[in-house]
Amino acid sequence: MDSIRIRGGRPLEGIIPIGGAKNAALPLLAAGLLTEETLTLTNLPHLADITTMVKLLAQHGVVCTMNGGHSGGHEGRVLALDAGQITNTTAPYDLVRKMRASILVLGPLLARVGEAQVSLPGGCAIGTRPVDLHLKGLEDLGAVIELDGGYIRATAPRGLKGAHIRMPFVSVGATENLLMAATLAYGTTVLDNAAREPEIGDLVRCLTAMGARIEGIDTETLTIHGVARLHGAEHSVLPDRIEAGTYAIAGAITGGDVELTGLDAALIGSVLEKLEEAGARITVTDRGVRIVRDQGPLRGADVMTQVYPGFPTDMQAQFMALMTVAEGAAMVTETIFENRFMHVPELHRMGANIVLHGASALVRGVPKLTGAPVMATDLRASSSLVLAGLAARGETIVSRVYHLDRGYENIEAKLAACGADITRLTGGA
Ligand SMILES: CC(=O)N[C@H]1[C@@H](OP(=O)(O)OP(=O)(O)OC[C@H]2O[C@@H](n3ccc(=O)[nH]c3=O)[C@H](O)[C@@H]2O)O[C@H](CO)[C@@H](O)[C@@H]1O
Ligand SMILES: C=C(OP(=O)(O)O)C(=O)O
């Protein structure tokens, strides 16, 4: 198993290009199942989760061609999906357990071929993460769903039919699954209390390019007028706002000066606001955004995770790492997932002062963290440990970096190019 060694204390200076978003790319890949024509995705990030989704699609019979050649496990930045023949409607446990977003094939398979068997994803380190809203919404669209042997067995004997669905709370994945299913349902579907995360807008744009009829983009009410078939399209994956937010914090935590390129700063507005409150200087540039921290120490700033456009839960761990070295105290409150504080004991090992009270963490800043061996437990916990390592005195070894590889492309290279002392150590326990 690989680990990452960081020798901390160097201010980061330079340019960091931001790649396509994992959380936009995964539903876009699933959308390839909705048409027998070719869906071409550009700006696709090279990440473990993308490889897993491509494997899943391939075993459903989708031909995945990368940059003109067969993908063969080496997905590039341009991927053509050809779901002319869906040969298998089962998403097996061994792939689904690696990546919960595999559930996103359920809606498209049901809509396109009227049946799907998808392994139940189960919980993960950050929470139980049920899929009840996905299933209830598909039932509202006319699907018949049974749970059997750890699998969701779904059929749509008379096809899917438009319905008015009001979701009791906001779910990104349920919105995506129902949106995709509704594009091929008979009649009109209204999704009330839909998620407004930018990745949903990206999916709406791609589906629209494929011939779907959707109103209400980027609002909490999506109206989908079902069509008989979708056609091929080409779509560029939205930039990754969580990758960008993570590198913005890398600049701030090291007292550096970094420019993130290839994204619109508005995409990370809530994170930049908090960084300013914490003492960083933010400038919007022609090609992205520049983050500088050159005056005085960081200051404590409270954050509470919220659905978009609020502060993202996927940035909570990284912001907490920043607060461990800020002057004063900061309250970090997690409202989306019930167990997203796995990074806290690891940050303690580096000298952080954090007290947990239910869904909140009280972080009292310390003058300096010290390097230590720490273990990654989930994707964003891992990146918070890398950030802490960049700021710490001495050497930090972050183990289990396969979590990091799910969501950050070339993280060592991008940080090293800005002056970080960071190396991947291959192999080991
Ligand atoms: C691949 C992807 O895009 N992942 C993102 C997606 O995850 P994901 O789509 O899984 O997250 P959701 O928005 O669905 O989850 C929000 C909350 O709703 C709960 N819930 C969800 C569905 C359901 O049927 N029942 C239920 O109770 C979840 O357990 C969680 O507590 O949005 C999350 C919230 O922004 C992000 O942290 C993830 O990075
Ligand atoms: C929680 C995340 O992803 P997933 O929903 O795929 O587990 C994440 O990207 O931070």
Side-chain angles (χ1 to χ4, degrees):
M1 239 183 271
D2 292 1
S3 52
I4 283 184
R5 186 188 66 206
I6 303 154
R7 297 191 176 117
R10 295 185 176 198
L12 294 192
E13 275 170 25
I15 292 171
I16 306 184
I18 301 304
K22 161 180 93 72
N23 289 351
L26 293 171
L28 290 167
L29 287 164
L33 289 164
L34 288 165
T35 176
E36 69 269 25
E37 294 183 15
T38 303
L39 174 64
T40 302
L41 297 176
T42 61
N43 197 34
L44 199 68
H46 189 124
L47 298 168
D49 272 15
I50 302 301
T51 305
T52 304
M53 188 57 114
V54 168
K55 276 191 191 146
L56 183 60
L57 293 179
Q59 67 86 52
H60 288 310
V62 181
V63 179
C64 305
T65 314
M66 184 270 298
N67 289 339
H70 200 273
S71 69
H74 302 289
E75 298 71 35
R77 295 182 179 275
V78 179
L79 184 72
L81 302 167
D82 181 349
Q85 298 286 326
I86 291 178
T87 52
N88 168 28
T89 53
T90 298
Y93 177 65
D94 63 328
L95 286 172
V96 178
R97 75 187 165 84
K98 284 192 185 158
M99 189 188 64
R100 296 181 45 85
S102 309
I103 187 81
L104 294 174
V105 300
L106 180 59
L109 284 173
L110 254 184
R112 172 90 185 277
V113 291
E115 63 162 68
Q117 303 77 40
V118 178
S119 171
L120 273 163
C124 70
I126 64 176
T128 50
R129 306 184 75 179
V131 290
D132 53 320
L133 294 189
H134 302 237
L135 304 188
K136 168 78 173 56
L138 290 171
E139 281 175 341
D140 289 346
L141 292 175
V144 176
I145 294 185
E146 283 172 20
L147 300 182
D148 175 30
Y151 276 75
I152 301 159
R153 299 188 190 279
T155 53
R158 284 183 290 278
L160 296 178
K161 197 162 173 292
H164 192 139
I165 301 172
R166 181 169 168 83
M167 283 177 281
F169 53 89
V170 174
S171 161
V172 172
T175 302
E176 291 164 346
N177 236 335
L178 300 177
L179 171 63
M180 289 190 280
T183 58
L184 291 179
Y186 180 77
T188 297
T189 298
V190 178
L191 293 181
D192 266 337
N193 205 21
R196 285 185 293 152
E197 269 60 13
E199 293 73 24
I200 309 255
D202 204 38
L203 179 62
V204 169
R205 266 179 275 277
C206 178
L207 292 170
T208 304
M210 293 165 74
R213 291 179 52 218
I214 304 168
E215 292 159 22
I217 184 167
D218 295 331
T219 74
E220 60 180 35
T221 303
L222 292 170
T223 303
I224 304 114
H225 305 284
V227 295
R229 57 183 295 280
L230 294 177
H231 52 71
E234 182 172 321
H235 179 83
S236 174
V237 178
L238 184 79
D240 195 321
R241 64 195 167 100
I242 308 302
E243 186 194 26
T246 303
Y247 290 130
I249 291 183
I253 202 170
T254 60
D257 178 349
V258 296
E259 186 182 6
L260 313 177
T261 60
L263 89 160
D264 178 348
L267 210 50
I268 51 168
S270 61
V271 174
L272 296 177
E273 244 173 58
K274 285 291 162 187
L275 279 172
E276 263 185 333
E277 196 180 323
R281 261 193 308 124
I282 311 292
T283 323
V284 174
T285 66
D286 291 349
R287 46 191 185 174
V289 59
R290 182 171 164 207
I291 294 95
V292 183
R293 211 259 294 168
D294 52 4
Q295 288 162 346
L298 290 160
R299 297 185 291 272
D302 296 345
V303 297
M304 182 183 284
T305 62
Q306 298 283 0
V307 297
Y308 191 84
F311 191 92
T313 173
D314 293 349
M315 285 300 304
Q316 179 257 107
Q318 302 91 310
F319 197 79
M320 194 187 298
L322 181 74
M323 290 298 96
T324 63
V325 290
E327 253 182 15
M331 185 72 90
V332 177
T333 304
E334 171 60 53
T335 72
I336 309 289
F337 290 106
E338 71 272 21
N339 188 30
R340 209 171 193 182
F341 284 133
M342 302 291 281
H343 39 288
V344 170
E346 301 304 302
L347 291 170
H348 280 159
R349 294 173 51 71
M350 301 178 71
N353 180 348
I354 307 168
V355 182
L356 280 178
H357 296 279
S360 293
L362 177 62
V363 188
R364 294 188 178 90
V366 295
K368 204 77 192 158
L369 295 173
T370 44
V374 286
M375 192 180 285
T377 49
D378 66 78
L379 169 54
R380 308 304 169 185
S382 319
S383 57
S384 79
L385 299 174
V386 170
L387 293 172
L390 292 172
R393 188 188 302 124
E395 185 173 284
T396 296
I397 308 265
V398 183
S399 56
R400 303 205 174 167
V401 295
Y402 57 86
H403 290 294
L404 206 58
D405 295 334
R406 287 188 47 215
Y408 293 90
E409 180 172 348
N410 284 334
I411 186 165
E412 315 92 90
K414 288 187 183 185
L415 291 171
C418 294
D421 183 344
I422 180 168
T423 318
R424 179 175 291 246
L425 309 172
T426 46

